[in-house]
Amino acid sequence: MHGTIKPVDEARERAYSMPLADMDPGHPELFQNFTFAPYFERLRKEDPVHYCKDSMFGPYWSVTKYNDIMEVETNHAVFSSAAALGGITIRDVSPDLRRESFIAMDQPRHGPQRKTVAPMFTPTHLDDLATNIRKRSASCLDNLPKNEVFDWVDTVSIELTTQMLAVLFDFPWEDRRKLTRWSDVATTLPGPQGLVATDEDRMAELMECAGYFGKLWKERINQPPKSDLLSMMAHNDATRDMDPNNFLGNLILLIVGGNDTTRNTLSGSIKALSENPAEYKKLRENPALIDSFVPEVIRWQTPLAHMRRTALEDYELGGKQIKKGDKVVMWYVS
Ligand code: HEM
């Protein structure tokens, strides 16, 4: 009698039996079904810089090993993040929906815009925020339902992340879940199963976001500088006069940057600990291990699967010839 074949075994079988040339590791289904691992395992072994000539995102290179990823990541002269070339995600945004933000911008404009919000993330300022973060986290955990099933993602991961974002923006507290919605809408794939049906629906919600923040911006620009992200941008020469697209782009960047990543890390951490009770026991017995637990769980869970660049010139990577204009995807999840 045959045993049940697990999806992960089927995925391994498929990943290793298909011709390498047909491998499309960016296909969303692999992430929806959590079956991507054997594809990246095979690529790391057999074709670490891999060309996929045809996919729903067009042709693209996959970079799957640490040193090659670092080579792309650190070579800003050759590998561009510019929104005008397609930006930082495997999916090209249609030209009329492209928005500049400092993550999707090359030098010389990137540096000055990036610097405006840098004071928020210095170790000293984060230390100042620590008391506030601890208080909110403790209150959220102390108020969890006892002896009943509840949704950790919504009650803890989303709630804490959203509270934190509201603090960083000094955003009206009672409206804070709007930040979650705008972040989700900005990153969803529009379609029948997406959060929005079309790119136009997405744009309508993002314009609501721009309008809401536009009002806050007007208030902040007429007040003395404060230490929230909006006030920092409103009072800095590099960002005070951003065009509406750049304004919305930077807002979405900050909302999404601070939302998905930490939310998924909070959920991934709790899943990892519940699946590895011996590790959980070690952590409970020695809370000093939290300092190494946090970066390790971010590496292990990888809340951000990839970033994309576009080659500005021909470049040889891992013995492969990347051509000017090619899309290059750095797979952190690998
Ligand atoms: C687990 C948590 C996080 C992870 C794994 C993460 C990951 C990353 C990565 C990989 C990049 C580089 C993108 C690239 O090379 O194109 C990046 C950039 C960025 N992240 Fe995060 N992030 C996290 C949390 C946050 C938070 C909490 C915020 C802010 C609220 C944030 C805001 C940003 C911004 C603004 C950038 C752009 C920086 C620049 O262009 O110089 N991130 N993040």
Side-chain angles (χ1 to χ4, degrees):
M1 210 170 111
H2 297 290
T4 318
I5 302 171
K6 293 193 194 137
V8 66
D9 295 330
E10 274 176 25
R12 177 169 301 276
E13 168 73 30
R14 247 195 336 270
Y16 276 89
S17 58
M18 67 167 50
L20 263 179
D22 293 346
M23 204 178 267
D24 171 16
H27 198 290
E29 210 178 87
L30 302 182
F31 295 86
Q32 280 153 3
N33 301 340
F34 205 57
T35 49
F36 55 81
Y39 290 81
F40 288 111
E41 182 189 85
R42 182 168 178 214
L43 286 179
R44 283 194 305 273
K45 280 195 237 163
E46 297 177 27
D47 197 21
V49 178
H50 168 76
Y51 190 64
C52 172
K53 62 180 182 315
D54 186 25
S55 82
M56 65 188 281
F57 305 115
Y60 66 96
W61 290 94
S62 282
V63 186
T64 57
K65 289 180 82 168
Y66 180 82
N67 287 337
D68 292 332
I69 289 177
M70 288 303 286
E71 191 170 332
V72 173
E73 186 89 75
T74 53
N75 192 339
H76 307 138
V78 172
F79 296 105
S80 167
S81 298
L85 299 177
I88 52 163
T89 54
I90 187 170
R91 176 176 188 248
D92 292 304
V93 182
S94 68
D96 53 324
L97 291 174
R98 266 176 207 167
R99 285 174 298 274
E100 272 205 310
S101 67
F102 60 84
I103 200 171
M105 187 185 278
D106 294 332
Q107 300 293 18
R109 290 178 61 223
H110 167 83
Q113 289 209 8
R114 168 81 169 80
K115 273 200 193 120
T116 58
V117 295
M120 177 63 85
F121 304 104
T122 60
T124 319
H125 192 244
L126 292 177
D127 275 352
D128 291 346
L129 287 174
T131 315
N132 186 342
I133 297 172
R134 282 209 181 87
K135 212 173 95 204
R136 291 183 194 289
S137 308
S139 156
C140 179
L141 295 176
D142 287 347
N143 287 313
L144 287 180
K146 291 190 180 68
N147 303 319
E148 60 179 272
V149 175
F150 67 93
D151 181 347
W152 171 275
V153 174
D154 190 66
T155 322
V156 181
S157 309
I158 293 182
E159 184 53 26
L160 277 182
T161 309
T162 305
Q163 288 188 8
M164 197 58 229
L165 265 182
V167 170
L168 296 182
F169 279 112
D170 194 10
F171 191 85
W173 198 248
E174 65 287 1
D175 277 350
R176 63 186 182 280
R177 285 279 174 142
K178 285 184 187 290
L179 295 169
T180 323
R181 172 75 191 172
W182 292 328
S183 172
D184 292 346
V185 165
T187 49
T188 191
L189 270 182
Q193 271 146 31
L195 284 178
V196 290
T198 62
D199 272 328
E200 289 67 32
D201 292 345
R202 184 215 308 270
M203 198 57 202
E205 288 208 40
L206 296 183
M207 290 321 289
E208 185 207 323
C209 166
Y212 195 111
F213 270 100
K215 280 195 201 128
L216 294 179
W217 178 276
K218 278 198 192 111
E219 284 167 25
R220 307 281 156 92
I221 208 162
N222 292 317
Q223 291 166 354
K226 294 193 299 171
S227 61
D228 65 84
L229 290 172
L230 213 50
S231 182
M232 283 175 179
M233 289 195 286
H235 288 277
N236 192 295
D237 285 345
T239 39
R240 182 178 294 136
D241 299 314
M242 287 181 284
D243 65 49
N245 255 342
N246 191 186
F247 175 58
L248 184 57
N250 279 347
L251 286 177
I252 300 292
L253 161 62
L254 290 162
I255 296 172
V256 173
N259 196 351
D260 250 11
T261 48
T262 35
R263 177 204 300 184
N264 294 343
T265 303
L266 282 167
S267 306
S269 310
I270 214 72
K271 186 165 184 288
L273 290 175
S274 63
E275 285 170 357
N276 297 279
E279 299 302 305
Y280 186 33
K281 186 162 177 281
K282 269 195 235 165
L283 202 61
R284 287 188 72 107
E285 285 168 359
N286 182 8
L289 291 177
I290 285 176
D291 284 350
S292 52
F293 167 73
V294 173
E296 172 57 8
V297 86
I298 290 174
R299 184 198 69 80
W300 184 82
Q301 190 263 332
T302 321
L304 215 162
H306 82 277
M307 281 283 165
R308 165 259 177 100
R309 301 288 185 260
T310 307
L312 294 174
E313 52 189 69
D314 292 356
Y315 190 84
E316 191 183 314
L317 182 72
K320 298 291 180 75
Q321 197 56 54
I322 292 172
K323 292 259 176 272
K324 180 179 174 177
D326 282 357
K327 187 190 294 196
V328 179
V329 178
M330 300 174 287
W331 287 108
Y332 305 135
V333 75
S334 173

Coordinates of all heavy atoms in Angstrom, one line a residue, residues 73 76 81 88 101-105 110 114 117 120-121 161 164-165 168-169 229 250 253-266 294 298-299 301-304 306-309 330 332, ligand 1:
E73 N 23.5 43.6 -4.7 CA 23.0 44.6 -3.7 C 23.9 45.8 -3.5 O 23.4 46.9 -3.3 CB 22.8 43.8 -2.3 CG 22.2 44.6 -1.2 CD 20.7 44.4 -1.2 OE1 20.2 43.4 -0.8 OE2 20.0 45.4 -1.6
H76 N 25.7 49.7 -6.9 CA 24.6 50.6 -7.3 C 24.8 51.2 -8.7 O 23.9 51.7 -9.3 CB 24.4 51.8 -6.3 CG 24.3 51.2 -4.9 ND1 24.9 51.8 -3.8 CD2 23.5 50.2 -4.4 CE1 24.5 51.1 -2.7 NE2 23.7 50.1 -3.0
S81 N 17.7 50.6 -8.8 CA 16.4 50.4 -8.1 C 15.3 51.4 -8.7 O 14.2 51.4 -8.2 CB 16.5 50.8 -6.6 OG 17.4 50.0 -6.0
I88 N 11.6 47.9 -7.6 CA 12.3 46.9 -6.8 C 11.5 45.6 -6.6 O 11.9 44.8 -5.7 CB 12.5 47.6 -5.4 CG1 11.2 48.2 -4.8 CG2 13.6 48.6 -5.4 CD1 11.2 48.4 -3.4
S101 N 9.8 56.6 -4.9 CA 10.0 56.7 -3.5 C 11.5 56.5 -3.3 O 12.2 56.0 -4.2 CB 9.3 55.6 -2.8 OG 9.8 54.4 -3.1
F102 N 12.1 56.8 -2.1 CA 13.5 56.8 -2.1 C 14.1 55.4 -2.1 O 15.2 55.2 -2.4 CB 14.1 57.7 -0.9 CG 13.6 57.3 0.4 CD1 14.3 56.3 1.1 CD2 12.6 58.0 1.1 CE1 13.9 55.9 2.4 CE2 12.2 57.6 2.3 CZ 12.8 56.6 3.0
I103 N 13.2 54.4 -1.9 CA 13.8 53.0 -2.0 C 13.9 52.6 -3.5 O 14.7 51.8 -3.9 CB 12.9 52.0 -1.3 CG1 13.6 50.7 -1.0 CG2 11.6 51.6 -2.1 CD1 12.9 49.7 -0.1
A104 N 13.0 53.3 -4.3 CA 13.0 53.0 -5.8 C 13.6 54.1 -6.5 O 13.0 54.7 -7.5 CB 11.6 52.7 -6.2
M105 N 14.8 54.6 -6.1 CA 15.4 55.8 -6.6 C 16.9 55.6 -6.5 O 17.4 55.1 -5.5 CB 14.9 57.0 -5.7 CG 15.3 58.3 -6.2 SD 14.8 59.5 -4.9 CE 13.1 59.7 -5.2
H110 N 18.5 59.7 -4.1 CA 18.2 58.8 -3.1 C 18.7 59.3 -1.7 O 17.9 59.3 -0.7 CB 18.8 57.4 -3.4 CG 18.8 56.5 -2.2 ND1 17.7 55.7 -1.9 CD2 19.7 56.2 -1.3 CE1 17.9 55.0 -0.8 NE2 19.2 55.3 -0.4
R114 N 16.5 59.9 1.7 CA 16.7 58.9 2.7 C 17.1 59.5 4.1 O 16.6 59.1 5.1 CB 17.8 57.9 2.2 CG 18.3 56.9 3.2 CD 17.3 55.7 3.4 NE 17.9 54.7 4.1 CZ 17.9 54.6 5.5 NH1 17.5 55.6 6.2 NH2 18.5 53.6 6.1
V117 N 14.5 60.9 7.0 CA 13.9 60.1 8.0 C 14.9 59.3 8.8 O 14.5 58.6 9.8 CB 12.8 59.1 7.3 CG1 11.7 59.8 6.7 CG2 13.5 58.2 6.3
M120 N 14.9 59.0 12.7 CA 13.9 58.2 13.4 C 14.5 56.8 13.8 O 14.1 56.2 14.8 CB 12.7 57.9 12.5 CG 11.6 57.0 13.0 SD 10.8 57.7 14.4 CE 9.6 58.7 13.7
F121 N 15.5 56.4 13.0 CA 16.0 55.0 13.2 C 17.4 54.9 13.8 O 18.0 53.9 13.7 CB 15.9 54.3 11.9 CG 14.5 54.3 11.3 CD1 14.2 55.1 10.2 CD2 13.5 53.5 11.8 CE1 12.9 55.2 9.7 CE2 12.2 53.5 11.3 CZ 11.9 54.4 10.2
T161 N 2.0 46.0 15.2 CA 2.7 46.7 14.1 C 2.0 48.0 13.7 O 2.6 49.0 13.4 CB 2.7 45.7 12.8 OG1 3.2 44.5 13.3 CG2 3.6 46.3 11.7
M164 N 2.6 50.7 16.2 CA 4.0 51.2 16.1 C 4.0 52.2 15.0 O 4.6 53.3 15.1 CB 4.9 50.0 15.8 CG 6.4 50.4 16.1 SD 6.6 50.9 17.8 CE 7.6 52.4 17.5
L165 N 3.4 51.9 13.8 CA 3.4 52.8 12.7 C 2.7 54.1 13.0 O 3.1 55.2 12.7 CB 2.7 52.1 11.5 CG 3.5 51.4 10.5 CD1 2.6 50.9 9.4 CD2 4.6 52.3 9.9
L168 N 5.1 56.1 14.9 CA 6.1 56.7 14.0 C 5.6 57.9 13.2 O 6.3 58.8 12.9 CB 6.7 55.7 13.1 CG 7.4 54.5 13.7 CD1 8.0 53.6 12.6 CD2 8.6 54.9 14.6
F169 N 4.3 57.8 12.8 CA 3.7 58.9 12.0 C 3.0 60.0 12.8 O 2.6 60.9 12.3 CB 2.7 58.4 11.0 CG 3.3 57.8 9.7 CD1 3.3 56.4 9.5 CD2 3.9 58.6 8.8 CE1 3.8 55.9 8.3 CE2 4.5 58.1 7.6 CZ 4.4 56.7 7.4
L229 N 7.7 60.9 11.4 CA 8.2 60.8 10.1 C 7.6 61.9 9.1 O 8.3 62.4 8.3 CB 7.8 59.4 9.5 CG 8.6 58.2 10.1 CD1 7.9 56.9 9.6 CD2 10.0 58.3 9.8
N250 N 6.7 57.8 -1.1 CA 7.4 57.7 0.1 C 6.5 57.3 1.3 O 6.9 56.5 2.2 CB 8.1 59.0 0.5 CG 9.4 59.2 -0.3 OD1 9.9 58.2 -0.9 ND2 10.0 60.4 -0.3
L253 N 6.0 53.6 0.9 CA 7.2 52.9 1.3 C 7.3 52.8 2.8 O 7.6 51.7 3.4 CB 8.5 53.7 0.8 CG 9.8 53.4 1.5 CD1 10.2 51.9 1.3 CD2 10.9 54.3 1.0
L254 N 7.1 53.9 3.5 CA 7.2 53.8 5.0 C 6.1 53.0 5.6 O 6.4 52.2 6.6 CB 7.2 55.3 5.6 CG 8.4 56.1 5.2 CD1 8.2 57.6 5.4 CD2 9.6 55.6 6.0
I255 N 4.9 53.0 5.1 CA 3.8 52.2 5.6 C 4.1 50.7 5.4 O 4.0 49.9 6.3 CB 2.5 52.6 5.0 CG1 2.1 54.1 5.4 CG2 1.3 51.7 5.5 CD1 0.9 54.6 4.6
V256 N 4.4 50.4 4.1 CA 4.6 49.0 3.8 C 5.9 48.5 4.5 O 5.9 47.4 5.1 CB 4.7 48.8 2.3 CG1 5.1 47.3 1.9 CG2 3.4 49.1 1.6
G257 N 6.9 49.3 4.4 CA 8.2 48.9 5.0 C 8.1 48.5 6.5 O 8.7 47.6 7.0
G258 N 7.2 49.3 7.2 CA 7.1 49.1 8.6 C 6.0 48.1 9.0 O 5.7 47.8 10.1
N259 N 5.3 47.6 8.0 CA 4.1 46.8 8.2 C 4.3 45.3 8.0 O 4.4 44.5 8.9 CB 2.9 47.4 7.4 CG 1.6 46.9 7.8 OD1 1.4 46.1 8.7 ND2 0.5 47.4 7.2
D260 N 4.4 45.0 6.7 CA 4.5 43.5 6.3 C 5.6 42.8 7.0 O 5.5 41.7 7.5 CB 4.7 43.5 4.8 CG 3.6 43.0 4.1 OD1 2.5 42.8 4.7 OD2 3.7 42.7 2.9
T261 N 6.8 43.5 7.0 CA 8.0 42.9 7.5 C 7.9 42.5 9.0 O 8.1 41.3 9.4 CB 9.1 43.9 7.4 OG1 8.7 45.1 7.9 CG2 9.6 44.1 6.0
T262 N 7.5 43.5 9.8 CA 7.5 43.2 11.3 C 6.2 42.3 11.6 O 6.3 41.5 12.5 CB 7.4 44.5 12.1 OG1 6.7 45.5 11.3 CG2 8.8 45.1 12.3
R263 N 5.1 42.5 10.9 CA 4.0 41.7 11.1 C 4.3 40.2 10.9 O 4.0 39.3 11.7 CB 2.8 42.1 10.2 CG 1.6 41.3 10.3 CD 0.8 41.3 9.0 NE 0.3 42.7 8.7 CZ -0.5 42.9 7.6 NH1 -1.0 41.9 6.9 NH2 -0.9 44.1 7.3
N264 N 4.9 40.0 9.7 CA 5.2 38.6 9.4 C 6.3 38.0 10.3 O 6.3 36.8 10.6 CB 5.7 38.5 7.9 CG 4.6 38.8 7.0 OD1 3.4 38.8 7.4 ND2 4.9 39.1 5.7
T265 N 7.2 38.8 10.8 CA 8.2 38.4 11.7 C 7.6 38.0 13.1 O 7.9 36.9 13.7 CB 9.3 39.4 12.0 OG1 9.8 39.8 10.7 CG2 10.4 38.9 12.9
L266 N 6.6 38.8 13.5 CA 5.9 38.5 14.8 C 5.1 37.1 14.7 O 5.1 36.3 15.6 CB 4.9 39.6 15.2 CG 5.6 40.8 15.8 CD1 4.5 42.0 15.8 CD2 6.0 40.5 17.2
V294 N 16.1 37.2 17.6 CA 15.4 38.1 16.7 C 16.1 38.1 15.3 O 15.4 37.8 14.3 CB 15.3 39.5 17.3 CG1 14.8 40.5 16.3 CG2 14.5 39.5 18.5
I298 N 14.4 36.3 11.8 CA 14.2 37.1 10.6 C 14.8 36.4 9.4 O 14.3 36.3 8.4 CB 14.7 38.6 10.8 CG1 13.8 39.3 11.7 CG2 14.7 39.3 9.4 CD1 14.4 40.7 12.1
R299 N 16.1 35.9 9.7 CA 16.7 35.1 8.6 C 15.9 33.8 8.3 O 15.7 33.6 7.1 CB 18.1 34.7 9.1 CG 19.0 34.0 8.0 CD 20.1 33.2 8.6 NE 19.7 32.0 9.4 CZ 19.3 30.9 8.9 NH1 19.3 30.7 7.6 NH2 18.9 29.9 9.6
Q301 N 12.7 33.0 8.9 CA 11.4 33.2 8.4 C 11.3 34.0 7.1 O 10.5 33.9 6.2 CB 10.5 33.8 9.5 CG 9.0 33.9 9.2 CD 8.6 35.2 8.6 OE1 9.2 36.2 8.9 NE2 7.5 35.2 7.9
T302 N 12.3 35.0 6.9 CA 12.5 35.8 5.7 C 11.2 36.5 5.3 O 10.5 36.1 4.3 CB 13.0 35.0 4.5 OG1 14.0 34.1 5.0 CG2 13.7 35.9 3.5
P303 N 10.8 37.6 6.1 CA 9.5 38.2 5.8 C 9.5 38.9 4.4 O 8.5 39.2 3.9 CB 9.4 39.3 6.9 CG 10.8 39.5 7.5 CD 11.5 38.2 7.3
L304 N 10.7 39.2 3.9 CA 10.8 39.9 2.6 C 11.5 38.9 1.7 O 12.7 38.7 1.7 CB 11.6 41.1 2.8 CG 11.3 42.3 2.0 CD1 11.9 43.6 2.6 CD2 11.7 42.2 0.6
H306 N 12.1 38.8 -1.7 CA 13.0 39.2 -2.7 C 13.0 40.7 -2.9 O 12.2 41.4 -2.3 CB 12.5 38.7 -4.1 CG 11.4 39.5 -4.7 ND1 10.1 39.3 -4.4 CD2 11.5 40.5 -5.6 CE1 9.4 40.2 -5.1 NE2 10.2 40.9 -5.9
M307 N 14.1 41.2 -3.5 CA 14.1 42.6 -4.1 C 14.6 42.5 -5.5 O 15.3 41.6 -5.8 CB 15.0 43.5 -3.2 CG 14.4 44.0 -2.0 SD 13.3 45.3 -2.3 CE 12.4 45.4 -0.7
R308 N 14.3 43.5 -6.3 CA 14.6 43.4 -7.7 C 15.5 44.6 -8.1 O 15.3 45.7 -7.5 CB 13.4 43.3 -8.5 CG 13.5 43.6 -10.0 CD 13.0 45.0 -10.3 NE 13.1 45.3 -11.7 CZ 12.1 45.3 -12.6 NH1 10.9 45.0 -12.2 NH2 12.4 45.7 -13.8
R309 N 16.4 44.4 -9.1 CA 17.1 45.5 -9.7 C 17.0 45.4 -11.2 O 16.6 44.4 -11.7 CB 18.6 45.4 -9.3 CG 18.9 45.5 -7.8 CD 18.7 46.9 -7.2 NE 19.0 47.0 -5.8 CZ 18.2 46.9 -4.8 NH1 16.9 46.7 -5.0 NH2 18.6 47.0 -3.6
M330 N 16.9 39.4 -6.5 CA 17.8 38.8 -5.4 C 16.8 38.1 -4.5 O 16.0 38.7 -3.8 CB 18.4 40.0 -4.6 CG 19.3 40.8 -5.5 SD 19.9 42.2 -4.6 CE 18.5 43.3 -4.5
Y332 N 16.2 36.7 -1.2 CA 16.6 36.6 0.2 C 16.1 35.3 0.7 O 16.7 34.7 1.6 CB 16.1 37.8 1.0 CG 16.5 39.1 0.5 CD1 15.5 40.1 0.4 CD2 17.8 39.5 0.1 CE1 15.8 41.4 0.0 CE2 18.1 40.7 -0.4 CZ 17.1 41.7 -0.4 OH 17.4 43.0 -0.9
Ligands
HEM1 C1 11.8 42.5 10.0 C2 11.8 43.7 9.7 C3 12.3 44.3 8.4 C4 13.0 43.7 7.3 C5 13.3 42.2 7.1 C6 13.2 44.8 6.4 C7 13.9 44.5 5.2 C8 14.4 45.5 4.3 C9 15.2 45.4 3.2 C10 15.8 44.0 2.7 C11 15.4 46.6 2.6 C12 16.3 46.9 1.4 C13 15.6 47.0 0.1 C14 16.5 47.1 -1.1 O1 17.6 46.7 -1.0 O2 16.0 47.5 -2.1 C15 14.7 47.5 3.4 C16 14.6 48.9 3.1 C17 13.8 49.8 3.8 N1 13.0 49.5 4.9 FE1 12.9 47.7 5.9 N2 12.8 45.9 6.8 C18 12.2 45.7 8.1 C19 11.6 46.7 8.9 C20 11.3 48.0 8.5 C21 10.6 48.9 9.3 C22 10.0 48.7 10.7 C23 10.6 50.1 8.6 C24 10.0 51.5 8.9 C25 8.9 51.8 9.4 C26 11.3 49.9 7.4 C27 11.5 50.8 6.4 C28 12.4 50.6 5.3 C29 12.7 51.7 4.4 C30 12.2 53.2 4.5 C31 13.6 51.2 3.5 C32 14.3 51.9 2.3 C33 15.7 52.3 2.7 C34 16.5 53.0 1.6 O3 16.0 53.0 0.4 O4 17.6 53.4 1.8 N3 11.7 48.6 7.4 N4 14.0 46.9 4.4

